[in-house]
Amino acid sequence: MDDLNSIVWGLPMMALLMGVHLLLTVRLRIPQRKIFKALRLSVTEEEGAEGGMSPFAALATALAATLGTGNIIGVSMAVALGGPGAVLWCWLTGVLGMATKYGESLLAVRYRRRDKQGGYRGGPMYVMEEALHSRPLAIVFAVFAAFAAFGTGCSVQANAISSVMETAFQVKPAVTGAVICLLASVVILGGAKKIAGVCEKLIPFMAVFYLGGCMALLYINRAYILPSIRLIVTAAFTPRAAAGGFVGSTVMQAARQGIARGLFSDESGLGTAPMAAAGARARNSVRQALVSMTGTFWDTVVFCAVTGIVIVSAMLHQPEAFVGISGGDLAEGAFGLMNGFGHVIFAVSLVIFAFATILGWSFYGEQAVSYLFGEGALKYYRVFYLAAVFAGSVTSMGVVWALSDLLNGLMALPNLICLLLLQRIIIRETNHYLWNRCLEERDESLP
Protein backbone atom coordinates (compact mmCIF):
# COMPACT_ATOMS: atom_id res chain seq x y z
CA MET A 1 0.00 0.00 0.00
CA ASP A 2 2.85 2.37 0.80
CA ASP A 3 4.44 1.60 -2.57
CA LEU A 4 1.19 2.39 -4.36
CA ASN A 5 0.85 5.64 -2.42
CA SER A 6 4.37 6.67 -3.34
CA ILE A 7 3.34 6.31 -6.99
CA VAL A 8 -0.10 7.92 -6.78
CA TRP A 9 1.08 10.76 -4.52
CA GLY A 10 4.52 11.04 -6.10
CA LEU A 11 6.02 14.03 -7.86
CA PRO A 12 3.87 13.61 -11.02
CA MET A 13 0.64 13.98 -9.01
CA MET A 14 1.96 16.98 -7.07
CA ALA A 15 3.17 18.53 -10.31
CA LEU A 16 -0.27 17.95 -11.87
CA LEU A 17 -2.08 19.49 -8.91
CA MET A 18 0.20 22.50 -8.69
CA GLY A 19 0.05 22.82 -12.48
CA VAL A 20 -3.76 22.98 -12.39
CA HIS A 21 -3.59 25.49 -9.51
CA LEU A 22 -1.25 27.73 -11.50
CA LEU A 23 -3.11 27.31 -14.80
CA LEU A 24 -6.49 28.26 -13.35
CA THR A 25 -5.00 31.12 -11.34
CA VAL A 26 -3.58 32.65 -14.52
CA ARG A 27 -6.43 31.85 -16.93
CA LEU A 28 -9.11 33.05 -14.49
CA ARG A 29 -7.16 36.29 -13.99
CA ILE A 30 -6.31 35.62 -10.34
CA PRO A 31 -9.73 35.13 -8.72
CA GLN A 32 -7.94 35.08 -5.34
CA ARG A 33 -7.95 38.90 -5.39
CA LYS A 34 -11.72 38.73 -4.86
CA ILE A 35 -11.29 37.02 -1.49
CA PHE A 36 -12.85 39.86 0.52
CA LYS A 37 -15.94 39.88 -1.71
CA ALA A 38 -16.05 36.10 -1.36
CA LEU A 39 -15.91 36.35 2.43
CA ARG A 40 -18.84 38.79 2.38
CA LEU A 41 -20.85 36.51 0.10
CA SER A 42 -20.21 33.54 2.41
CA VAL A 43 -22.29 35.18 5.15
CA THR A 44 -24.89 36.77 2.84
CA GLU A 45 -28.21 34.99 2.37
CA GLU A 46 -29.25 34.48 -1.25
CA GLU A 47 -32.45 36.42 -1.95
CA GLY A 48 -34.68 35.00 -4.64
CA ALA A 49 -32.82 31.68 -4.80
CA GLU A 50 -34.91 28.58 -4.13
CA GLY A 51 -34.21 25.20 -2.55
CA GLY A 52 -31.00 23.86 -1.11
CA MET A 53 -29.01 25.00 1.91
CA SER A 54 -27.65 28.47 2.59
CA PRO A 55 -24.26 29.43 1.08
CA PHE A 56 -22.71 29.47 4.56
CA ALA A 57 -24.18 26.05 5.43
CA ALA A 58 -22.63 24.62 2.26
CA LEU A 59 -19.28 26.23 3.15
CA ALA A 60 -19.50 24.98 6.74
CA THR A 61 -20.18 21.43 5.54
CA ALA A 62 -17.10 21.57 3.31
CA LEU A 63 -15.01 23.11 6.08
CA ALA A 64 -16.15 20.40 8.49
CA ALA A 65 -14.57 17.84 6.19
CA THR A 66 -11.35 19.78 5.48
CA LEU A 67 -10.67 21.40 8.86
CA GLY A 68 -9.45 18.24 10.52
CA THR A 69 -6.44 16.52 11.93
CA GLY A 70 -4.46 17.56 8.84
CA ASN A 71 -4.44 21.16 10.06
CA ILE A 72 -2.70 20.08 13.27
CA ILE A 73 -1.01 16.72 12.78
CA GLY A 74 -0.41 17.30 9.05
CA VAL A 75 1.43 20.57 9.64
CA SER A 76 3.46 18.93 12.41
CA MET A 77 4.50 16.19 10.01
CA ALA A 78 5.44 18.75 7.37
CA VAL A 79 7.72 20.62 9.79
CA ALA A 80 9.16 17.36 11.16
CA LEU A 81 10.03 15.96 7.73
CA GLY A 82 10.62 19.08 5.64
CA GLY A 83 11.82 21.62 8.18
CA PRO A 84 10.28 25.07 8.87
CA GLY A 85 10.35 25.97 5.16
CA ALA A 86 7.57 23.45 4.55
CA VAL A 87 5.14 25.86 6.21
CA LEU A 88 5.62 28.44 3.45
CA TRP A 89 5.17 25.85 0.70
CA CYS A 90 2.00 24.64 2.42
CA TRP A 91 0.73 28.24 2.53
CA LEU A 92 1.55 28.88 -1.13
CA THR A 93 -0.29 25.70 -2.07
CA GLY A 94 -3.37 27.06 -0.33
CA VAL A 95 -3.14 30.46 -2.03
CA LEU A 96 -2.92 28.89 -5.49
CA GLY A 97 -5.38 26.12 -4.64
CA MET A 98 -8.12 28.69 -4.11
CA ALA A 99 -8.43 28.98 -7.91
CA THR A 100 -8.89 25.22 -8.28
CA LYS A 101 -11.50 25.08 -5.51
CA TYR A 102 -13.28 27.97 -7.28
CA GLY A 103 -13.22 26.19 -10.65
CA GLU A 104 -14.44 22.80 -9.50
CA SER A 105 -17.22 24.34 -7.40
CA LEU A 106 -18.36 26.48 -10.33
CA LEU A 107 -18.77 23.36 -12.48
CA ALA A 108 -20.63 21.54 -9.69
CA VAL A 109 -23.22 24.32 -9.39
CA ARG A 110 -23.48 24.63 -13.17
CA TYR A 111 -24.36 20.93 -13.67
CA ARG A 112 -26.21 20.02 -10.47
CA ARG A 113 -29.64 18.33 -10.33
CA ARG A 114 -32.78 18.70 -8.24
CA ASP A 115 -33.50 15.90 -5.79
CA LYS A 116 -36.84 14.57 -4.57
CA GLN A 117 -36.84 16.87 -1.53
CA GLY A 118 -36.52 20.03 -3.63
CA GLY A 119 -32.83 20.49 -2.88
CA TYR A 120 -29.81 19.93 -5.10
CA ARG A 121 -27.29 17.16 -5.65
CA GLY A 122 -24.08 17.63 -7.55
CA GLY A 123 -20.36 17.12 -7.71
CA PRO A 124 -17.71 16.00 -10.19
CA MET A 125 -19.62 12.81 -11.10
CA TYR A 126 -22.58 14.85 -12.37
CA VAL A 127 -20.20 17.18 -14.24
CA MET A 128 -18.43 14.24 -15.87
CA GLU A 129 -21.73 12.74 -16.99
CA GLU A 130 -23.44 15.96 -18.15
CA ALA A 131 -20.55 17.97 -19.57
CA LEU A 132 -18.04 15.30 -20.61
CA HIS A 133 -20.72 12.71 -21.46
CA SER A 134 -18.60 10.11 -19.72
CA ARG A 135 -20.66 8.09 -17.26
CA PRO A 136 -17.89 5.48 -16.82
CA LEU A 137 -15.50 8.20 -15.57
CA ALA A 138 -18.26 9.53 -13.31
CA ILE A 139 -18.86 6.07 -11.84
CA VAL A 140 -15.14 5.59 -11.19
CA PHE A 141 -14.98 8.89 -9.30
CA ALA A 142 -18.13 8.14 -7.29
CA VAL A 143 -16.88 4.67 -6.29
CA PHE A 144 -13.57 6.08 -5.06
CA ALA A 145 -15.41 8.84 -3.17
CA ALA A 146 -17.81 6.40 -1.51
CA PHE A 147 -15.01 4.14 -0.28
CA ALA A 148 -12.81 7.10 0.75
CA ALA A 149 -15.65 8.31 2.99
CA PHE A 150 -15.40 5.10 5.03
CA GLY A 151 -11.63 5.55 5.42
CA THR A 152 -10.63 9.21 5.44
CA GLY A 153 -14.06 10.34 6.51
CA CYS A 154 -14.96 8.19 9.47
CA SER A 155 -12.80 5.28 10.61
CA VAL A 156 -9.44 7.09 10.74
CA GLN A 157 -11.06 10.15 12.34
CA ALA A 158 -12.77 8.01 14.97
CA ASN A 159 -9.44 6.30 15.62
CA ALA A 160 -7.77 9.69 16.12
CA ILE A 161 -10.46 10.66 18.64
CA SER A 162 -10.23 7.40 20.60
CA SER A 163 -6.41 7.64 20.69
CA VAL A 164 -6.49 11.19 22.04
CA MET A 165 -9.17 10.37 24.61
CA GLU A 166 -7.23 7.36 25.85
CA THR A 167 -3.94 9.27 26.09
CA ALA A 168 -5.28 12.50 27.57
CA PHE A 169 -8.22 11.31 29.70
CA GLN A 170 -7.72 7.51 30.03
CA VAL A 171 -11.06 6.74 28.36
CA LYS A 172 -11.27 3.26 26.84
CA PRO A 173 -11.54 3.19 23.01
CA ALA A 174 -14.76 1.14 23.09
CA VAL A 175 -16.43 3.76 25.30
CA THR A 176 -15.23 6.56 23.05
CA GLY A 177 -16.42 4.67 19.98
CA ALA A 178 -19.88 4.15 21.42
CA VAL A 179 -20.24 7.84 22.33
CA ILE A 180 -18.99 9.05 18.94
CA CYS A 181 -21.31 6.61 17.18
CA LEU A 182 -24.28 7.81 19.22
CA LEU A 183 -23.57 11.51 18.66
CA ALA A 184 -22.88 11.01 14.96
CA SER A 185 -26.07 8.97 14.48
CA VAL A 186 -28.20 11.83 15.84
CA VAL A 187 -26.87 14.01 13.04
CA ILE A 188 -26.21 11.63 10.16
CA LEU A 189 -29.55 9.80 10.30
CA GLY A 190 -31.21 13.18 9.86
CA GLY A 191 -29.84 13.48 6.35
CA ALA A 192 -27.99 16.18 4.44
CA LYS A 193 -29.96 19.13 5.85
CA LYS A 194 -29.32 17.99 9.44
CA ILE A 195 -25.60 17.55 8.72
CA ALA A 196 -25.37 21.02 7.16
CA GLY A 197 -27.30 22.59 10.04
CA VAL A 198 -25.02 21.10 12.70
CA CYS A 199 -21.87 22.00 10.74
CA GLU A 200 -23.14 25.56 10.38
CA LYS A 201 -23.15 25.87 14.18
CA LEU A 202 -20.11 23.72 14.96
CA ILE A 203 -17.55 25.30 12.60
CA PRO A 204 -17.55 28.85 14.08
CA PHE A 205 -17.15 27.46 17.61
CA MET A 206 -14.43 25.08 16.47
CA ALA A 207 -12.52 27.86 14.72
CA VAL A 208 -12.71 30.26 17.66
CA PHE A 209 -11.70 27.60 20.19
CA TYR A 210 -8.63 26.42 18.27
CA LEU A 211 -7.48 29.83 17.06
CA GLY A 212 -7.95 31.16 20.60
CA GLY A 213 -5.51 28.55 21.87
CA CYS A 214 -3.08 29.42 19.06
CA MET A 215 -3.28 33.13 19.86
CA ALA A 216 -2.49 32.40 23.53
CA LEU A 217 0.56 30.39 22.43
CA LEU A 218 1.69 33.13 20.07
CA TYR A 219 1.45 35.60 22.96
CA ILE A 220 3.67 33.33 25.05
CA ASN A 221 6.12 33.09 22.14
CA ARG A 222 5.65 36.71 21.00
CA ALA A 223 9.37 37.51 21.00
CA TYR A 224 9.91 34.68 18.51
CA ILE A 225 7.09 35.34 16.02
CA LEU A 226 9.10 37.50 13.61
CA PRO A 227 12.20 35.26 13.84
CA SER A 228 10.01 32.23 13.12
CA ILE A 229 8.47 33.90 10.04
CA ARG A 230 11.95 34.82 8.77
CA LEU A 231 13.12 31.25 9.34
CA ILE A 232 10.07 29.82 7.52
CA VAL A 233 10.67 32.05 4.49
CA THR A 234 14.44 31.54 4.25
CA ALA A 235 14.27 27.79 4.91
CA ALA A 236 11.78 27.38 2.04
CA PHE A 237 14.44 28.36 -0.50
CA THR A 238 17.75 27.37 1.11
CA PRO A 239 18.97 23.96 2.38
CA ARG A 240 19.50 23.77 6.14
CA ALA A 241 21.52 21.55 8.45
CA ALA A 242 19.90 20.03 11.53
CA ALA A 243 19.96 22.51 14.40
CA GLY A 244 17.91 23.66 17.37
CA GLY A 245 15.52 20.71 17.26
CA PHE A 246 14.85 21.10 13.52
CA VAL A 247 15.77 18.33 11.11
CA GLY A 248 18.15 19.00 8.27
CA SER A 249 16.31 19.56 5.00
CA THR A 250 16.83 20.42 1.37
CA VAL A 251 14.67 22.81 -0.64
CA MET A 252 13.09 19.80 -2.37
CA GLN A 253 12.23 18.17 0.95
CA ALA A 254 10.65 21.36 2.24
CA ALA A 255 8.66 21.87 -0.98
CA ARG A 256 7.52 18.27 -1.22
CA GLN A 257 6.34 18.01 2.39
CA GLY A 258 4.71 21.44 2.40
CA ILE A 259 2.90 20.92 -0.90
CA ALA A 260 1.76 17.40 0.00
CA ARG A 261 0.40 18.43 3.40
CA GLY A 262 -1.28 21.50 1.90
CA LEU A 263 -3.00 19.39 -0.74
CA PHE A 264 -4.14 16.82 1.83
CA SER A 265 -5.46 19.55 4.11
CA ASP A 266 -7.43 21.87 1.80
CA GLU A 267 -8.62 19.17 -0.66
CA SER A 268 -8.45 21.62 -3.59
CA GLY A 269 -8.66 19.48 -6.71
CA LEU A 270 -9.88 16.42 -4.83
CA GLY A 271 -13.49 16.94 -5.91
CA THR A 272 -15.12 16.74 -2.47
CA ALA A 273 -16.02 20.35 -1.63
CA PRO A 274 -17.96 20.81 -4.92
CA MET A 275 -20.49 18.24 -3.63
CA ALA A 276 -21.34 20.64 -0.79
CA ALA A 277 -21.22 23.70 -3.06
CA ALA A 278 -23.76 22.11 -5.41
CA GLY A 279 -26.30 21.90 -2.59
CA ALA A 280 -26.34 25.65 -1.90
CA ARG A 281 -28.91 28.24 -2.90
CA ALA A 282 -27.12 30.40 -5.47
CA ARG A 283 -28.22 32.87 -8.14
CA ASN A 284 -25.41 31.77 -10.39
CA SER A 285 -22.45 29.43 -10.40
CA VAL A 286 -19.81 32.10 -9.78
CA ARG A 287 -21.30 33.39 -6.52
CA GLN A 288 -21.13 29.98 -4.85
CA ALA A 289 -17.74 29.26 -6.42
CA LEU A 290 -16.39 32.37 -4.69
CA VAL A 291 -17.89 31.21 -1.38
CA SER A 292 -16.32 27.76 -1.80
CA MET A 293 -12.96 29.37 -2.52
CA THR A 294 -12.96 30.78 1.01
CA GLY A 295 -12.84 27.21 2.34
CA THR A 296 -9.26 26.82 1.09
CA PHE A 297 -8.46 30.29 2.40
CA TRP A 298 -9.58 29.43 5.94
CA ASP A 299 -8.19 25.89 5.91
CA THR A 300 -4.68 26.43 4.59
CA VAL A 301 -3.97 30.15 4.27
CA VAL A 302 -5.16 30.78 7.85
CA PHE A 303 -5.32 27.60 9.94
CA CYS A 304 -2.29 25.76 8.56
CA ALA A 305 -0.20 28.95 8.56
CA VAL A 306 -1.10 29.77 12.16
CA THR A 307 -0.36 26.19 13.27
CA GLY A 308 3.00 26.30 11.49
CA ILE A 309 4.02 29.61 13.09
CA VAL A 310 2.93 28.31 16.51
CA ILE A 311 5.12 25.20 16.15
CA VAL A 312 8.20 26.99 14.78
CA SER A 313 8.03 29.87 17.31
CA ALA A 314 7.64 27.37 20.17
CA MET A 315 10.67 25.41 18.96
CA LEU A 316 12.73 28.61 18.80
CA HIS A 317 11.52 29.68 22.24
CA GLN A 318 12.18 26.42 24.10
CA PRO A 319 14.14 23.99 21.89
CA GLU A 320 14.92 21.80 24.89
CA ALA A 321 11.20 20.98 25.25
CA PHE A 322 11.24 19.26 21.85
CA VAL A 323 14.14 16.90 22.46
CA GLY A 324 12.98 13.42 21.49
CA ILE A 325 9.72 14.71 19.98
CA SER A 326 9.10 14.20 16.28
CA GLY A 327 6.42 13.77 13.66
CA GLY A 328 2.87 14.67 14.53
CA ASP A 329 3.78 15.19 18.19
CA LEU A 330 5.39 18.60 17.49
CA ALA A 331 2.03 20.39 17.71
CA GLU A 332 1.23 18.73 21.05
CA GLY A 333 4.69 19.72 22.27
CA ALA A 334 3.99 23.34 21.30
CA PHE A 335 0.69 23.37 23.18
CA GLY A 336 2.48 21.79 26.15
CA LEU A 337 4.17 25.17 26.77
CA MET A 338 0.87 26.44 28.24
CA ASN A 339 1.50 24.79 31.63
CA GLY A 340 -1.14 22.09 31.76
CA PHE A 341 -4.00 23.77 29.93
CA GLY A 342 -2.29 23.35 26.57
CA HIS A 343 -2.64 19.57 26.46
CA VAL A 344 -6.38 19.88 27.19
CA ILE A 345 -6.84 22.50 24.45
CA PHE A 346 -4.88 20.33 22.04
CA ALA A 347 -6.89 17.19 22.86
CA VAL A 348 -10.27 18.93 22.69
CA SER A 349 -9.34 20.64 19.40
CA LEU A 350 -8.37 17.33 17.84
CA VAL A 351 -11.58 15.69 19.03
CA ILE A 352 -13.79 18.48 17.66
CA PHE A 353 -11.91 18.68 14.36
CA ALA A 354 -12.08 14.91 13.82
CA PHE A 355 -15.77 14.72 14.74
CA ALA A 356 -16.57 17.54 12.31
CA THR A 357 -14.71 15.62 9.60
CA ILE A 358 -16.87 12.56 10.29
CA LEU A 359 -19.97 14.67 9.66
CA GLY A 360 -18.61 16.44 6.58
CA TRP A 361 -17.43 13.26 4.89
CA SER A 362 -20.71 11.50 5.61
CA PHE A 363 -22.32 14.15 3.41
CA TYR A 364 -19.81 13.45 0.63
CA GLY A 365 -20.40 9.73 0.90
CA GLU A 366 -24.15 10.29 0.62
CA GLN A 367 -23.71 12.22 -2.61
CA ALA A 368 -21.59 9.45 -4.12
CA VAL A 369 -23.92 6.64 -3.00
CA SER A 370 -27.07 8.43 -4.19
CA TYR A 371 -25.44 8.93 -7.60
CA LEU A 372 -24.49 5.27 -7.89
CA PHE A 373 -27.55 3.57 -6.41
CA GLY A 374 -30.26 6.20 -5.93
CA GLU A 375 -31.55 7.89 -2.78
CA GLY A 376 -33.14 4.67 -1.53
CA ALA A 377 -29.68 3.28 -0.73
CA LEU A 378 -28.86 6.07 1.71
CA LYS A 379 -30.48 4.42 4.74
CA TYR A 380 -28.21 1.39 4.31
CA TYR A 381 -25.16 3.59 3.70
CA ARG A 382 -25.74 5.53 6.92
CA VAL A 383 -25.87 2.33 8.99
CA PHE A 384 -22.61 1.05 7.47
CA TYR A 385 -20.99 4.45 7.95
CA LEU A 386 -21.85 4.51 11.65
CA ALA A 387 -20.58 0.93 12.01
CA ALA A 388 -17.28 2.04 10.45
CA VAL A 389 -17.09 4.89 12.99
CA PHE A 390 -17.23 2.41 15.88
CA ALA A 391 -14.86 -0.05 14.18
CA GLY A 392 -12.32 2.71 13.59
CA SER A 393 -12.36 3.61 17.29
CA VAL A 394 -11.27 0.17 18.47
CA THR A 395 -8.98 -1.15 15.71
CA SER A 396 -5.56 -0.34 14.29
CA MET A 397 -5.76 2.08 11.37
CA GLY A 398 -2.36 1.73 9.70
CA VAL A 399 -3.59 0.04 6.54
CA VAL A 400 -6.80 2.10 6.47
CA TRP A 401 -4.78 5.35 6.60
CA ALA A 402 -2.71 4.17 3.65
CA LEU A 403 -5.79 3.01 1.71
CA SER A 404 -7.53 6.34 2.38
CA ASP A 405 -4.58 8.30 1.01
CA LEU A 406 -4.59 6.08 -2.06
CA LEU A 407 -8.33 6.58 -2.68
CA ASN A 408 -7.95 10.34 -2.28
CA GLY A 409 -5.32 10.37 -4.99
CA LEU A 410 -7.44 8.20 -7.26
CA MET A 411 -10.36 10.63 -6.73
CA ALA A 412 -8.22 13.62 -7.63
CA LEU A 413 -7.05 12.24 -10.97
CA PRO A 414 -10.41 12.12 -12.84
CA ASN A 415 -11.45 15.39 -11.22
CA LEU A 416 -8.32 17.19 -12.45
CA ILE A 417 -8.81 15.76 -15.94
CA CYS A 418 -12.36 17.12 -15.86
CA LEU A 419 -11.13 20.57 -14.82
CA LEU A 420 -8.58 20.70 -17.62
CA LEU A 421 -11.09 19.63 -20.27
CA LEU A 422 -13.78 22.07 -19.09
CA GLN A 423 -11.64 25.09 -18.29
CA ARG A 424 -13.24 27.08 -21.12
CA ILE A 425 -16.63 26.88 -19.40
CA ILE A 426 -15.09 28.05 -16.12
CA ILE A 427 -13.37 30.95 -17.89
CA ARG A 428 -16.51 31.96 -19.82
CA GLU A 429 -18.77 32.08 -16.76
CA THR A 430 -16.11 33.84 -14.70
CA ASN A 431 -15.67 36.53 -17.34
CA HIS A 432 -19.43 37.08 -17.56
CA TYR A 433 -20.44 37.04 -13.90
CA LEU A 434 -17.27 38.17 -12.11
CA TRP A 435 -15.22 40.41 -14.37
CA ASN A 436 -18.21 41.94 -16.20
CA ARG A 437 -19.77 42.76 -12.82
CA CYS A 438 -22.86 40.58 -13.31
CA LEU A 439 -22.73 38.77 -9.96
CA GLU A 440 -26.26 39.89 -9.08
CA GLU A 441 -27.76 38.26 -12.19
CA ARG A 442 -29.68 35.02 -12.02
CA ASP A 443 -28.16 31.98 -13.72
CA GLU A 444 -28.66 32.36 -17.45
CA SER A 445 -27.14 28.96 -18.26
CA LEU A 446 -24.70 30.48 -20.68
CA PRO A 447 -24.29 28.29 -23.78
Side-chain angles (χ1 to χ4, degrees):
M1 197 69 69
D2 288 338
D3 290 340
L4 287 173
N5 267 314
S6 66
I7 296 172
V8 173
W9 283 107
L11 288 176
M13 173 61 82
M14 288 195 289
L16 176 61
L17 273 162
M18 288 299 288
V20 172
H21 291 352
L22 281 166
L23 177 67
L24 291 179
T25 294
V26 173
R27 297 211 66 190
L28 296 176
R29 298 158 59 183
I30 315 179
Q32 293 93 327
R33 54 193 164 121
K34 292 292 184 179
I35 184 60
F36 294 109
K37 179 183 286 291
L39 291 170
R40 288 195 299 273
L41 288 175
S42 69
V43 292
T44 302
E45 184 58 65
E46 283 282 11
E47 297 179 2
E50 300 178 354
M53 63 185 84
S54 70
F56 181 73
L59 173 63
T61 303
L63 280 173
T66 55
L67 284 177
T69 53
N71 296 89
I72 304 175
I73 305 301
V75 176
S76 295
M77 291 295 295
V79 174
L81 299 175
V87 177
L88 180 64
W89 286 107
C90 180
W91 185 82
L92 289 172
T93 301
V95 172
L96 296 173
M98 290 165 63
T100 300
K101 184 70 68 70
Y102 168 93
E104 59 186 351
S105 298
L106 185 153
L107 291 174
V109 176
R110 178 82 161 75
Y111 294 101
R112 63 189 178 179
R113 298 176 186 172
R114 283 274 191 180
D115 61 20
K116 296 178 181 179
Q117 289 73 41
Y120 297 101
R121 291 193 183 276
M125 53 278 195
Y126 293 93
V127 177
M128 293 167 190
E129 180 177 346
E130 297 290 334
L132 294 181
H133 308 292
S134 178
R135 182 163 171 78
L137 188 64
I139 290 174
V140 167
F141 175 87
V143 168
F144 288 148
F147 279 104
F150 285 102
T152 300
C154 66
S155 57
V156 296
Q157 303 299 328
N159 185 263
I161 294 174
S162 66
S163 297
V164 169
M165 293 299 293
E166 186 175 25
T167 302
F169 307 110
Q170 291 75 53
V171 179
K172 293 183 177 180
V175 175
T176 300
V179 173
I180 300 170
C181 199
L182 177 63
L183 293 175
S185 67
V186 172
V187 182
I188 292 171
L189 295 179
K193 289 186 178 180
K194 182 72 171 180
I195 294 170
V198 172
C199 291
E200 193 173 8
K201 297 177 178 61
L202 180 62
I203 290 301
F205 167 77
M206 185 170 94
V208 170
F209 182 83
Y210 178 69
L211 288 178
C214 288
M215 291 303 107
L217 271 172
L218 289 176
Y219 178 77
I220 294 172
N221 303 324
R222 58 190 179 278
Y224 297 88
I225 293 177
L226 289 179
S228 68
I229 293 174
R230 284 196 296 268
L231 178 60
I232 287 170
V233 173
T234 56
F237 302 103
T238 55
R240 300 186 63 84
F246 294 106
V247 297
S249 63
T250 64
V251 174
M252 182 59 70
Q253 283 176 310
R256 182 170 184 173
Q257 292 299 323
I259 291 171
R261 298 303 163 183
L263 295 174
F264 277 128
S265 177
D266 63 44
E267 297 182 7
S268 294
L270 194 62
T272 48
M275 300 184 203
R281 295 188 292 271
R283 296 180 203 176
N284 56 65
S285 57
V286 170
R287 286 177 70 95
Q288 189 57 38
L290 287 170
V291 173
S292 296
M293 183 178 75
T294 66
T296 297
F297 171 79
W298 288 119
D299 180 270
T300 305
V301 179
V302 175
F303 276 82
C304 286
V306 169
T307 302
I309 295 172
V310 163
I311 293 172
V312 176
S313 63
M315 293 179 74
L316 290 177
H317 185 189
Q318 295 189 27
E320 67 280 0
F322 293 87
V323 175
I325 297 179
S326 61
D329 295 331
L330 291 182
E332 185 175 8
F335 275 87
L337 301 184
M338 295 177 68
N339 297 325
F341 294 104
H343 290 295
V344 175
I345 293 174
F346 176 82
V348 172
S349 295
L350 266 183
V351 168
I352 297 174
F353 274 38
F355 183 73
T357 301
I358 290 172
L359 300 183
W361 267 90
S362 71
F363 179 89
Y364 295 157
E366 284 197 9
Q367 306 309 302
V369 169
S370 67
Y371 176 81
L372 292 169
F373 307 109
E375 295 181 32
L378 293 181
K379 56 185 178 182
Y380 303 106
Y381 159 77
R382 290 164 185 161
V383 172
F384 281 114
Y385 191 87
L386 291 170
V389 169
F390 182 80
S393 302
V394 297
T395 57
S396 175
M397 287 287 103
V399 174
V400 178
W401 266 111
L403 179 60
S404 300
D405 289 346
L406 180 63
L407 289 169
N408 284 347
L410 294 175
M411 283 173 62
L413 191 57
N415 184 56
L416 292 171
I417 292 171
C418 185
L419 282 170
L420 290 173
L421 293 176
L422 298 177
Q423 58 182 291
R424 289 184 179 181
I425 295 175
I426 303 171
I427 294 167
R428 184 182 64 227
E429 298 218 353
T430 300
N431 288 339
H432 177 77
Y433 289 114
L434 185 59
W435 302 124
N436 292 339
R437 303 177 184 274
C438 300
L439 270 180
E440 302 306 316
E441 285 186 5
R442 299 292 292 273
D443 187 1
E444 300 173 353
S445 296
L446 300 176

